[in-house]
Amino acid sequence: MEGMTTTSAVPFVLPDAAAYAQAVADARRASAAYYEGGTSTLDDDAYDRLVRAITVYETEHPDEVLADSPSGKVAGGAVEGDVPHTVPMLSLDNVFSDEEFTTWSASLERRIGREVASWNVQPKLDGLAIAARYEGGRLARLVTRGDGTAGEDVSHAAGTIEGLPAELTEPVTLEVRGEVLMTTAQFEYANEVRTEHGGDPFANPRNAAAGTLRAKDRAYTVPMTFFGYGLLALPGTDEALAARLAEEAHGALMDRTAALGINTPASTDVPGVVLTSVEQVLERVEAIAALRADLPFGIDGIVVKADLAADQATAGSGTRAPRWAVAFKLPAVEKITRLLAVEWNVGRTGIIAPRAVLEPVELDGSTVTYATLHNPADITRRGLRLGDQVMVYKAGDIIPRIEAPVAHLRTGEEQEIVFPAECPQCGSGIDTSEQRWRCERGRNCHVVASISYAAGRDQLDIEGLGQTRVVQLVEAGLVESLPDLFDRLTREQLLGLERMGETSTDNLMAALERAKTQPLSRVLCALGVRGTGRSMSRRIARHFATMDNIRAADAEAMQRVDGIGAEKAPVIVAELAELAAQIDRLAAAGLSMTEPGATPPPAEGTEETDAAADAGPLAGMKVVVTGAMTGPLEKLSRNQMNELIERAGGKSSGSVSKNTSLVVAGEGAGSKRAKAEDLGIRLATPDEFAEMVAGLLD
C-alpha cells in the first residue's frame, strides 16, 4: 500500500527567537480571524505547517516558550466563550503519514497497557465544531467549541442547519457534538445570495459555515449541514441512559445518534467503520482519501479513535486533545495565491473561455499556475479582481478552479477584470446572449483547432494530420472547413507543399480514405457539436442509428438520449442545423452516416424499446475503466474501450459510484479501484473483461 505522507508534514523552519515570536503572533492572528469571523490570513496547510514549526522550536527551546503560544491550546488559544461546557470540548492532535500514525498508535497502546481492541475510522469533516443540547428531546441550545471549556451561544442559527432536528425521535435530554459545514451546493448558493445582497463572496465552504453560524442580523439566511460525531449526557439526563452513553463504544454511540434522527456520516459514501488492526486503519485511510474528490462536502483528513469506552477512559485526555483519538491529515487541496491575469482563449467551436493566471503554488502534489474560470458570468458572480488573493481548489485529477477571492486580504490596489469587446482570435464580434460567450464566426474562427480535433485519434483518426500539417493546409488556402479534406483536397495540392513528398502524401490520402469508414459516432464527434463529446456522440449515434434520424430529431426527441436534458437538447439541435451544409458534403464525400449495430428508434406512437440495451454481454451494466489495459485490450485507447462497452450493450462512465456495475481495473489502477472496493463493486482484470466481450473484439 502506498504511504499517505503529505507535504504538510514538512514544517516551516524557525531560525531564532524573533522568528518564533513572529510565528506565534501570525498563528494567533490567523486562528482568531477564522474562529471569530470565518476568515483567515492563512490557508489550512500554511497554518498547520506554522503550528508544527512552533512546536518543533518549543521542543528544542523549552525555556523560550511564550505564554500565548497556540501549541497545546484548543483553537490555538485565540478564542474564548461565555457558555461553559459540561465536559471539555477538545481539538485533535494531527499526524501526516503512515509512519506518524503507526508511532502514535504504538504510544497509545503503551499508555493503556494493551493492544487497542478496535478502531473507529470516519472522515474529518471540514467545518466548525458545535454542541447541540437537547432537553426532553427538543433542541434547546447551540454552543461553539470556543476555547474548549466554554463556547459562544449560536442558538439563533437553529432552523437553518440541516441534519439537526428541532425534535429528536425520543424525548431524551443529552448533548450531541458534531460539525457544521456547507456542502458544495450550499456554498455556491450562499455566495449567490451573499453577493446579491452586496456582500463579498466567501473564500471557501469552511469559512462560509463559520461566518454564517455567527451571523445574527443578516437580511437573509442560507442553509448549512450538521454531522454528529459524539453523544454525551447532560445534567438532567436519565441515569440509566447516562450510564449507557458512558459505557458504549463509539460506533454504537453513532448508531444511537442516527436513530435519534440526527445526521451522521453513516448516510454518506464515507461512513464510520470499526476495524481491528493498524493495517486495516491505514487501508481505510487510503480508501477515504480516494473518495475525497467525489464527496459533496469537504474533508481535510480522517479521524481515528479507539472505539471502546474502556480504552478511551484509560488513555485519558490532555488539555488540548484526547489521547485516544487523532486526525490523519490529508494533502491540502486548496491554497491561497494571487490572481495575476486572465487569458481569453478561443476553442474549436468559437467558445471564448477565460483562464486564470496564478502566482505559482504547490497544491495536491503539483505546481498550479492556471485555473479554470468557466465564463464571464462566473467571474462577475465571484467578484474577482486582478491582484486578488484567491482560494484555489484542486482534488484528484480535477482541473484547478478558483473558489472565491479572499476579500478580507484586499489592499485596495486590485483592478477590475476587463472583458474582451471583440474576439481575441479573429477580431470579430462576440455573441454574448448565453453565459458562455462565442465568436460570431463560430467554429470558422478557429478552423485549425476545429480540424485538428476532428482528425484526432478518438474522432476520425487521420494519421499524419497533426496540428502542424493542418496549419500548413489552412495557411495555403487548401482547407477552410472539415469537408474540404474529403471533397476538395487533391494529391497534387499536397505534393506542392513543403515537406510533402510522394510517400507522405500517399500515406495521408490513404488515411483520409480510411477515415470515411469510421462509424457515425466518430463522424458526429469530429463535427464538434457543442454540448457533446466522445461519450455523448456515441449515445446519440446508438440511439438514432443514422445521421438522417439525428438531423430529424427535435429538442423533445433529443432529450430521450441518456444524459441530454432540457437545456442541452435545443443547443445540440441548433448546432446540427448550423452544420447542415458540412454534413451534406461529408455524406456526399462518402463518410459513413450510420452506426454499426444500432437500431433506429421506434416510430412515434409505438412502444419504445432499446434493442441495444437489451442485447450484449454488458446489457444494463454501467462500466468504468481505470489503469493500463493489457493482453487483448493493450492497444485500445480509453475511447475505444468505451466504444467496446457500448457495443456490448453497457454504458461507459468515467467515475465510480453506487450505480456502477463493473470496474475494469488494469495496471496502476488507483483511486477508482479503491472506491470500487469500498463500495463492494465487482472488479475485473483486462483479461477477464476481454473474455466477457470476446465476440466483439476485432
Side-chain angles (χ1 to χ4, degrees):
M1 184 184 74
E2 293 183 4
M4 294 295 295
T5 301
T6 81
T7 54
S8 299
V10 182
F12 299 123
V13 176
L14 304 178
D16 51 36
Y20 164 69
Q22 184 62 54
V24 168
D26 291 344
R28 284 186 62 85
R29 183 165 53 250
S31 183
Y34 169 66
Y35 284 104
E36 292 174 5
T39 62
S40 178
T41 54
L42 301 174
D43 54 54
D44 275 2
D45 181 63
Y47 180 80
D48 282 345
R49 293 171 61 204
L50 189 63
V51 172
R52 284 168 67 81
I54 290 170
T55 302
V56 169
Y57 187 88
E58 291 174 348
T59 300
E60 296 174 350
H61 305 85
D63 295 337
E64 299 179 22
V65 176
L66 296 175
D68 58 352
S69 168
S71 61
K73 298 184 178 70
V74 174
V79 296
E80 297 179 355
D82 54 8
V83 181
H85 292 299
T86 55
V87 175
M89 195 170 181
L90 304 180
S91 299
L92 290 173
D93 287 330
N94 298 325
V95 295
F96 296 88
S97 67
D98 292 2
E99 293 75 17
E100 288 188 12
F101 175 76
T102 301
T103 299
W104 175 85
S105 63
S107 174
L108 173 59
E109 291 181 340
R110 286 194 300 271
R111 181 179 293 276
I112 65 177
R114 58 182 179 274
E115 289 188 358
V116 173
S118 57
W119 300 96
N120 191 284
V121 186
Q122 61 189 61
K124 184 178 183 297
L125 302 161
D126 199 6
L128 191 74
I130 67 166
R133 297 178 181 177
Y134 284 87
E135 296 177 2
R138 294 184 177 276
L139 183 60
R141 201 169 202 180
L142 298 178
V143 185
T144 64
R145 179 167 56 192
D147 64 359
T149 60
E152 174 187 354
D153 191 322
V154 289
S155 301
H156 59 271
T160 66
I161 304 174
E162 297 176 5
L164 195 63
E167 187 171 355
L168 301 178
T169 58
E170 298 179 26
V172 292
T173 296
L174 44 69
E175 180 172 290
V176 182
R177 292 183 174 180
E179 204 85 1
V180 172
L181 53 78
M182 280 190 184
T183 65
T184 303
Q186 288 172 338
F187 171 66
E188 294 291 342
Y189 174 73
N191 270 349
E192 287 179 11
V193 173
R194 185 171 169 85
T195 54
E196 285 174 359
H197 284 79
D200 292 320
F202 292 111
N204 56 30
R206 180 189 62 258
N207 290 3
T212 300
L213 189 66
R214 291 183 169 85
K216 295 182 179 179
D217 301 319
R218 285 183 183 163
Y220 59 90
T221 60
V222 292
M224 296 170 284
T225 298
F226 178 84
F227 287 93
Y229 61 65
L231 203 62
L232 63 154
L234 288 172
T237 299
D238 176 79
E239 291 185 5
L241 174 59
R244 289 197 297 273
L245 295 180
E247 295 172 356
E248 283 185 343
H250 182 75
L253 285 177
M254 288 298 91
D255 292 340
R256 183 185 293 274
T257 302
L260 289 171
I262 295 166
N263 195 34
T264 72
S267 60
T268 73
D269 286 345
V270 284
V273 297
V274 178
L275 304 169
T276 58
S277 71
V278 169
E279 291 73 22
Q280 289 177 340
V281 169
L282 293 177
E283 288 175 1
R284 179 61 180 168
V285 166
E286 188 170 3
I288 293 177
L291 298 173
R292 185 184 192 184
D294 297 324
L295 295 175
F297 48 80
I299 66 171
D300 60 351
I302 295 94
V303 177
V304 183
K305 301 178 178 180
D307 189 54
L308 298 184
D311 286 346
Q312 296 178 9
T314 303
S317 298
T319 57
R320 176 186 177 276
R323 299 188 181 96
W324 43 267
V326 74
F328 195 125
K329 295 297 288 288
L330 296 177
V333 292
E334 62 179 21
K335 289 281 191 71
I336 296 174
T337 189
R338 189 177 300 278
L339 175 61
L340 302 178
V342 174
E343 297 178 346
W344 299 88
N345 301 311
V346 182
R348 55 187 169 77
T349 64
I351 294 294
I352 301 171
R355 182 174 73 163
V357 182
L358 305 171
E359 194 170 274
V361 61
E362 290 294 322
L363 185 58
D364 197 21
S366 62
T367 301
V368 173
T369 53
Y370 298 100
T372 184
L373 295 169
H374 301 290
N375 51 59
D378 187 60
I379 294 174
T380 300
R381 181 172 60 84
R382 297 183 188 279
L384 294 170
R385 302 174 190 170
L386 295 181
D388 263 336
Q389 296 282 352
V390 294
M391 189 70 73
V392 182
Y393 179 87
K394 180 174 180 282
D397 57 0
I398 298 174
I399 298 172
R401 63 180 175 85
I402 291 176
E403 287 190 321
V406 187
H408 64 277
L409 296 182
R410 282 177 171 162
T411 64
E413 298 181 1
E414 295 78 15
Q415 300 177 0
E416 296 293 328
I417 295 173
V418 179
F419 295 170
E422 59 184 26
C423 174
Q425 176 70 25
C426 69
S428 299
I430 298 176
D431 179 0
T432 61
S433 61
E434 298 181 14
Q435 282 197 344
R436 300 187 72 190
W437 290 6
R438 192 185 189 201
C439 173
E440 290 180 345
R441 293 183 62 204
R443 54 183 40 82
N444 292 327
C445 169
H446 212 331
V447 66
V448 170
S450 180
I451 295 177
S452 296
Y453 174 79
R457 182 184 180 189
D458 292 332
Q459 287 70 249
L460 296 180
D461 195 16
I462 306 175
E463 189 174 353
L465 192 60
Q467 183 167 333
T468 301
R469 186 68 67 208
V470 173
V471 169
Q472 190 179 22
L473 293 173
V474 171
E475 290 182 347
L478 301 180
V479 175
E480 296 178 354
S481 65
L482 177 60
D484 290 342
L485 292 171
F486 302 98
D487 64 7
R488 176 176 165 183
L489 190 64
T490 67
R491 184 175 187 274
E492 289 70 26
Q493 289 172 331
L494 288 174
L495 286 171
L497 298 175
E498 291 185 12
R499 303 183 302 281
M500 285 296 288
E502 291 193 3
T503 299
S504 55
T505 294
D506 290 341
N507 288 341
L508 180 53
M509 295 300 292
L512 290 170
E513 283 299 311
R514 287 194 300 272
K516 294 179 181 180
T517 66
Q518 295 286 6
L520 170 61
S521 55
R522 288 185 171 237
V523 175
L524 185 62
C525 189
L527 287 167
V529 178
R530 279 191 297 159
T532 71
R534 291 170 296 189
S535 178
M536 185 57 69
S537 294
R538 288 195 300 271
R539 293 182 201 171
I540 294 172
R542 291 191 65 79
H543 181 85
F544 290 104
T546 71
M547 180 63 84
D548 286 343
N549 288 335
I550 294 175
R551 297 173 71 178
D554 58 14
E556 183 179 353
M558 192 62 68
Q559 286 185 62
R560 297 192 185 105
V561 179
D562 182 33
I564 297 181
E567 293 185 6
K568 184 178 288 186
V571 173
I572 295 173
V573 171
E575 279 280 286
L576 290 165
E578 181 181 314
L579 289 162
Q582 289 198 37
I583 294 172
D584 288 340
R585 287 177 60 192
L586 291 173
L591 273 76
S592 174
M593 294 291 152
T594 61
E595 185 69 9
T599 303
E604 188 173 350
T606 62
E607 184 176 352
E608 186 169 350
T609 60
D610 190 345
D614 292 335
L618 303 180
M621 298 177 66
K622 185 176 180 181
V623 184
V624 174
V625 179
T626 183
M629 296 297 101
T630 54
L633 309 178
E634 183 175 6
K635 295 183 179 180
L636 297 186
S637 68
R638 190 53 44 85
N639 186 58
Q640 290 171 322
M641 283 291 297
N642 291 337
E643 288 177 338
L644 179 60
I645 291 166
E646 293 177 17
R647 286 205 312 273
K651 291 183 179 180
S652 61
S653 175
S655 60
V656 178
S657 71
K658 293 179 180 178
N659 297 322
T660 302
S661 309
L662 176 70
V663 172
V664 184
E667 293 181 355
S671 61
K672 292 178 182 178
R673 176 179 185 131
K675 184 172 183 179
E677 291 174 337
D678 188 71
L679 295 176
I681 294 168
R682 178 183 174 188
L683 290 165
T685 66
D687 286 344
E688 290 169 342
F689 182 74
E691 290 181 8
M692 295 173 65
V693 296
L696 298 170
L697 288 173
D698 295 332

